[in-house]
Amino acid sequence: MAHIARTGRNAVTTTVENASGTSKKSSPSNADKVSRRQVDKFSDRRDELAEAALQTLAELGYARTSLREIAQNSEFSHGVLHYYFSDKVDLITHCVRHYKARCVTRYDGIVSTAQTPDELRAGFGAILAETMINEATMHRLWYDLRAQSLFEDSFRADVAAIDESLENMIWRIVSRYAELLDTEPTITPAAMYGVFDGLFQQSLLRHFSGDASAATYLSDTVQSILLQVVPTPHA
């Protein structure tokens, strides 16, 4: 039968021989399963708290937000927040990563369903402009966090990971657009992300400044840039 050796708090699964002489691995212990469930439950709870804290963070920004401030604007106590997050940096980075993880899948639908370059280009521009307007404060929080990473080391790894995921998202769109045209982009993934990110931030600032044309400007300019970096092949 299987033998499980225990070292401290961890169960170590060993390989043993059965009656026929062949070896097999023992199954995970109940303790391992309970431990995994506890980890998953803890992670789910952090996501739940992050979702509740996002609105307060987005409204106030990094500098004016504390765990106590967030607790006062949510149904959760300061003690609960402090149990699941070591400090404000831990909470804010988790919140932004949680939000951006949803953002990077937002364009998957248009990428997978668009049948023509024009359809993809117009769909991408429209969705980008829509999210800029409807979730403006969330995007503002992201730029706030990224600016803080210039001063605080504790933010940089998370910011770099989010930036990488956003760059990959943009490149999936550009690559698919080029594929529909049966050509190749004339720009690198990093440069393409830099262009679109700068344009998005510029448009977001225009929106917060009361410019009613900010969304149209963003959509039109994004589509124009795609035409330049992925030119239509000559017949």
Side-chain angles (χ1 to χ4, degrees):
M1 65 180 180
H3 173 67
I4 299 177
R6 296 186 179 276
T7 305
R9 297 171 58 189
N10 298 322
V12 179
T13 302
T14 60
T15 302
V16 298
E17 289 189 354
N18 59 20
S20 64
T22 59
S23 63
K24 65 178 181 178
K25 289 185 178 180
S26 60
S27 59
S29 69
N30 288 335
D32 289 335
K33 294 177 182 178
V34 170
S35 178
R36 283 197 295 271
R37 285 199 298 269
Q38 289 174 336
V39 169
D40 291 342
K41 185 176 180 180
F42 187 85
S43 179
D44 290 343
R45 185 62 164 164
R46 276 169 60 92
D47 289 345
E48 180 185 357
L49 292 170
E51 195 69 45
L54 266 172
Q55 193 59 48
T56 298
L57 286 168
E59 290 294 337
L60 298 179
Y62 170 79
R64 294 189 294 163
T65 304
S66 65
L67 288 182
R68 192 171 300 279
E69 184 79 33
I70 294 168
Q72 290 173 353
N73 287 275
S74 73
E75 61 183 291
F76 304 105
S77 69
H78 177 258
V80 169
L81 289 176
H82 199 67
Y83 176 78
Y84 285 95
F85 300 97
S86 58
D87 53 24
K88 182 173 76 169
V89 170
D90 185 23
L91 173 59
I92 290 177
T93 53
H94 188 83
C95 283
V96 174
R97 291 193 73 156
H98 180 69
Y99 170 68
K100 286 298 184 181
R102 296 202 307 265
C103 287
V104 296
T105 63
R106 182 166 291 153
Y107 305 92
D108 289 350
I110 188 64
V111 169
S112 62
T113 61
Q115 299 298 311
T116 66
D118 290 347
E119 185 181 352
L120 178 57
R121 189 176 65 250
F124 173 51
I127 297 173
L128 199 65
E130 180 182 11
T131 186
M132 191 267 290
I133 294 294
N134 293 343
E135 301 180 11
T137 56
M138 300 298 184
H139 294 297
R140 180 176 63 184
L141 177 62
W142 157 240
Y143 286 117
D144 188 11
L145 177 64
R146 193 162 71 177
Q148 289 297 324
S149 72
L150 296 172
F151 300 94
E152 298 194 33
D153 291 347
S154 54
F155 283 130
R156 289 176 188 161
D158 288 287
V159 166
I162 294 170
D163 261 330
E164 182 180 8
S165 69
L166 295 173
E167 180 181 318
N168 291 337
M169 175 198 76
I170 292 295
W171 195 245
R172 285 196 298 272
I173 295 164
V174 175
S175 297
R176 176 56 179 160
Y177 182 68
E179 181 182 349
L180 288 170
L181 282 169
D182 194 24
T183 187
E184 296 291 334
T186 62
I187 195 169
T188 64
M192 187 75 269
Y193 174 54
V195 170
F196 280 162
D197 179 68
L199 177 61
F200 190 91
Q201 187 174 15
Q202 179 191 62
S203 301
L204 186 65
L205 180 58
R206 289 176 61 163
H207 169 65
F208 277 115
S209 299
D211 185 348
S213 68
T216 301
Y217 167 77
L218 175 60
S219 179
D220 290 348
T221 308
V222 161
Q223 294 185 62
S224 176
I225 290 171
L226 273 175
L227 288 170
Q228 296 176 55
V229 299
V230 190
T232 302
H234 295 295

